[in-house]
Structure formats: structure tokens, C-alpha cells
Amino acid sequence: MSVEPSPSESRMSESRVPESRVGVWLIGARGSVATTVVAGCAAMTAGLHPPTGMVTETDPFSGSGLPALSSLVFGGHDTMDCPLPKRAEALAAGGVLLHGLPTAVGAELATADREIRPGGPVPGDTRDTEELVAAFAADMRDFVRRHGLARAVVVNVASTEPAPDSTELPPSSLYAAAALRAGCPYVNFTPSTGLHHPALASAAAASGLPYAGRDGKTGQTLLRSVLGPMFAQRALTVRAWSGTNLLGGGDGAALSDPAAAAAKNAGKERVLADTLAAVPEGEVHIDDVPALGDWKTAWDHIAFDGFLGTRMILQTTWQGCDSALAAPLVLDLVRLVARAQEVGLSGPLGELGFYFKDPVGDGPSALGEQYAELVGFGGRLGALGASGASGHASAPLGASGACGASGASGALGASDPPGASVAAAEFGELGAREPQEPRVPRGLSGEGR
């Protein structure tokens, strides 16, 4: 029986570039978010499910020249050893994935699992900063080389780590440094430090690579970015705004650490500070509730004044699955950042603030304004591609330091791309200054996120 393609499937087909493949290198590659990303991409590519939640599959992005979902190749780092097919089965048992989906996309999950390399540092790891960065970068380059990829985007979806308390690079920054050295664009979907570490600032600027982040906006802060502007635009005075989050899984456990929770809450509070005339009273609390698994509940209690000082209350409840909320955003970001590199863009992509609590670069905090910037960015990507700002999607970007192929065979040359060599010099100096046996930072596991 033949079935006519749906409008969303037609859009997916229109953006497809069969001769080009794009790598997705996930940090925390065996976690809940990463597993849902891989399973979801396989399900959509096979026509098993529509691309619900993917903004890049809507009409405004049909002419942006984004890589097709079918062109994405997955790999990554993790310190966990639970295979992706088994992790997917656990997610299905918890209601995150539909029953039967892990079996239907079992081959794709197994293929991605074979591309996951051991992360670090782990307890007892004696490698210094330079050795860790070099090893991670080598894994990324090898991934691109073996698969003949046009480019690869590194995305951090690991559990939240505490803010660093020393000049030592935390795990998220080690991976960010490795991405720069390998010549790969970087996306930080977590509140962890990543490229925000001062030691990486000059290397990021010199790399010629696009990057985006940080901390994906999936629930409570998404609502805040809509409600905050509403109060401001209606000239209603917000007196207090308090919130509570109940989280399970690995992320709930990670955020039970006050230092990690503080990093998470900073982005939530920044949205209110940017969208309201004054910062209201109130705090956000995060509670670890293991029984919730991958599900979360967020409550907000908003006290505001209306006409003639009449005091009123708005309460909201958000209940959702973090992995299912995050996965389509990760796929959106990979496609947008890969296309940005293809057309020669570099530096912080502030136009992607729509996806983040604490976006890089300058830009608005209100969701409506962020969406307008995102749509404009999609149009710009299409226009730059049409004007010949870069080569065809399957061609190497070369001079901008792309993590991609260097010839028709897809093999990388003996030397690193120009941008990567600059970054390598930076990290070579940085590594030499580090002690030979650094303290093993906490965090890094993709478990639960």
C-alpha cells in the first residue's frame, strides 16, 4: 500500500542533500537525551513518526538548505557503558519512548553505539589536560575521517556539572577544547561551563568556528520567556516570582548538588531580569525525586499588582519529559549550526537564543523576539547558500577550519585544518601549564540527561 507523504515529510525531502553526510558527536552519548535524539532521528527518517517539536521542519526553514535528518551520523563520548539499545528499552519502559520503538530502530541505535568512545576523566585517570583534550579531539577527527563526513557538530548533552572552583578545565570545557582542536562547531545544551571558560576565549575566537549555547530552554524557563514579556507589555507589576522543580533521573541527582543547581538557576533568573523592569522577589528550588525518572514537574507562583494596586496571583504547572522536550531542539541546533559552518559563518550564533536559557552573543530574551531572529537567521542561511558564499554541502570548508572531508575520498589530510592548528597551539601551551595529575573533576556522565 502506498502512502502519500505528509507536508512535514515533503519538507524533509526538500531539504535533503543526499551526497552530504553530517556528523553529530554527542557528549553524554549514552544518556537519556542522546538516546532519544538517535532513536527519534531514526524514527523520523523511516517515516514512523512526524517531526513534532522540530522548528526546523516548519515552513519558514524550507529554503534554509539545512542537512537532511537522513544525512546525520551519530557518535560521541560517555563514561557509561550501557549500550544504546538497552538504554532505549529502559526509556520505553518508563514511557519516554513509545513501546516497540527501540526494536524498530534497533539497528540504528546499535550503529550509533559502536561510535561511542570512552569519556573522561574518570576516577584514577592520570592523563593531564593536554592528553585528555588530544585524545578527545583524535576521536572526533577519526569519526569524521572514517565516515567521510562533510562536517561534524559536537553537542554537550551530559549531566550538569558544578561551576569550576579553580582555573582547571572542568570536563565540559575539555570537550569544548577538543571540538575546537578538531575543527568542529560546538553546541552546549547544558548549563555547564563548556566554551565559557576564560582559558578558551582566545582559542574560540581564533578557530573560525560557529558555536552556540548554553542550557537548553525546554520547560519552566520557556514559560518564563513568554510570561515575563506579557507582564511587561501589559504594564503589570510583578512583585514576586518563585519556582520549584521536581526532577528524577541523572539530572535530578546531579542538580541535588547546590553548586550545580546554582548554575542551572542562573539562566532561569536571567530571563526574568531581562524581560521585567525590575527583578522580583523569589527563588527557584530544585528537588531530586528519583521516582520521577526522566519526567519533571515545575511550578511557578507569580504575585503581581493590577489596576489600582489590586493584588493577583498566577500559578503555572509544567509536567513533561525532559528528554522528549530536548531531543528535537538538539536536532534543530545540529542542522542550523552545520549549515552556518557550511556557508562560512563563525563565532557566537546569538540568533539561536530561542533555544537557550543563557544564549551566547547579544540578543533579546523574550521568546517572540527570539523566534523572529531565528526565522531571520534561517532566511539568511538560505540566502548565503544561494549566493555562493561557500561550496556545495558535500565540499570541504577547508580554510575556515571545518571538521570535514578534504577531498573527494573524504579522507582528512595529514595536517589539521588551519583553524584547528591555531586552537592546538593554544591548548598545547595551556596543557603545559597544567599539573601532570590534575584533580578529577566531577560530572560528565550522560546518565539521566
Side-chain angles (χ1 to χ4, degrees):
M1 180 179 68
S2 63
V3 179
E4 289 297 320
S6 66
S8 60
E9 290 169 333
S10 296
R11 287 192 295 270
M12 291 167 66
S13 177
E14 289 170 7
S15 64
R16 184 164 295 137
V17 185
E19 64 270 34
S20 172
R21 295 201 298 170
V22 173
V24 184
W25 192 262
L26 299 164
I27 309 305
R30 290 193 171 110
S32 296
V33 171
T35 305
T36 307
V37 166
V38 176
C41 186
M44 289 185 290
T45 298
L48 300 178
H49 290 279
T52 305
M54 287 195 63
V55 179
T56 55
E57 281 297 317
T58 60
D59 287 335
F61 298 89
S62 60
S64 299
L66 305 180
L69 292 173
S70 59
S71 75
L72 302 184
V73 181
F74 295 94
H77 282 113
D78 208 324
T79 58
M80 306 301 294
D81 57 7
C82 179
L84 282 180
K86 185 170 290 295
R87 186 56 187 264
E89 290 173 3
L91 292 176
V96 177
L97 300 179
L98 291 180
H99 178 72
L101 183 60
T103 300
V105 298
E108 290 86 348
L109 289 166
T111 297
D113 191 71
R114 289 193 291 271
E115 296 297 333
I116 298 176
R117 300 295 177 259
V122 295
D125 202 328
T126 60
R127 292 175 292 179
D128 63 20
T129 296
E130 167 57 24
E131 290 170 329
L132 287 163
V133 171
F136 298 154
D139 289 337
M140 296 170 189
R141 289 196 196 100
D142 180 62
F143 175 64
V144 171
R145 179 183 298 115
R146 286 185 296 102
H147 291 283
L149 304 176
R151 55 191 44 82
V153 180
V154 176
V155 188
N156 181 16
V157 289
S159 295
T160 303
E161 67 188 12
D165 55 7
S166 68
T167 57
E168 176 183 319
L169 292 184
S172 64
S173 296
L174 294 175
Y175 287 113
L180 294 181
R181 182 174 296 193
C184 296
Y186 175 79
V187 176
N188 189 2
F189 202 75
T190 81
S192 301
T193 304
L195 275 184
H196 279 67
H197 198 286
L200 303 185
S202 60
S207 69
L209 296 166
Y211 56 91
R214 67 183 166 171
D215 200 2
K217 186 163 55 186
T218 59
Q220 185 180 46
T221 310
L222 181 66
L223 279 179
R224 289 181 168 209
S225 66
V226 173
L227 295 176
M230 177 195 75
F231 284 109
Q233 290 162 6
R234 291 297 297 267
L236 299 171
T237 302
V238 177
R239 293 183 292 107
W241 198 316
S242 300
T244 296
N245 284 261
L246 306 180
L247 300 173
D251 222 25
L255 292 171
S256 64
D257 183 329
K264 187 81 171 178
N265 287 338
K268 295 177 181 288
E269 295 166 357
R270 186 171 294 107
V271 170
L272 298 183
D274 290 346
T275 57
L276 299 174
V279 179
E281 297 177 357
E283 298 179 347
V284 176
H285 298 275
I286 299 177
D287 295 330
D288 178 24
V289 184
L292 291 179
D294 287 282
W295 298 81
K296 66 180 181 181
T297 297
W299 293 313
D300 269 342
H301 184 281
I302 309 160
F304 64 99
D305 289 345
F307 189 55
L308 302 178
T310 304
R311 295 197 163 187
M312 292 175 269
I313 299 291
L314 172 64
Q315 297 182 9
T316 66
T317 302
W318 177 283
Q319 293 179 296
C321 173
D322 203 39
S323 301
L325 290 166
L329 309 187
V330 171
L331 290 169
D332 275 351
L333 286 163
V334 166
R335 302 175 81 196
L336 290 163
V337 174
R339 176 62 169 168
Q341 186 190 30
E342 180 188 352
V343 300
L345 300 181
S346 63
L349 299 179
E351 298 93 337
L352 301 185
F354 177 80
Y355 293 100
F356 299 104
K357 296 182 182 73
D358 185 18
V360 298
D362 298 322
S365 295
L367 190 70
E369 296 175 42
Q370 290 177 331
Y371 177 71
E373 285 207 346
L374 177 64
V375 170
F377 183 67
R380 182 182 173 204
L381 293 177
L384 286 172
S387 67
S390 69
H392 193 270
S394 62
L397 204 54
S400 68
C403 185
S406 61
S409 67
L412 288 176
S415 61
D416 292 336
S421 64
V422 174
E426 292 281 349
F427 301 130
E429 295 173 5
L430 185 149
R433 293 196 297 269
E434 292 289 330
Q436 292 302 303
E437 296 186 7
R439 175 178 60 81
V440 177
R442 292 171 291 174
L444 192 62
S445 166
E447 183 70 24
R449 176 159 179 81

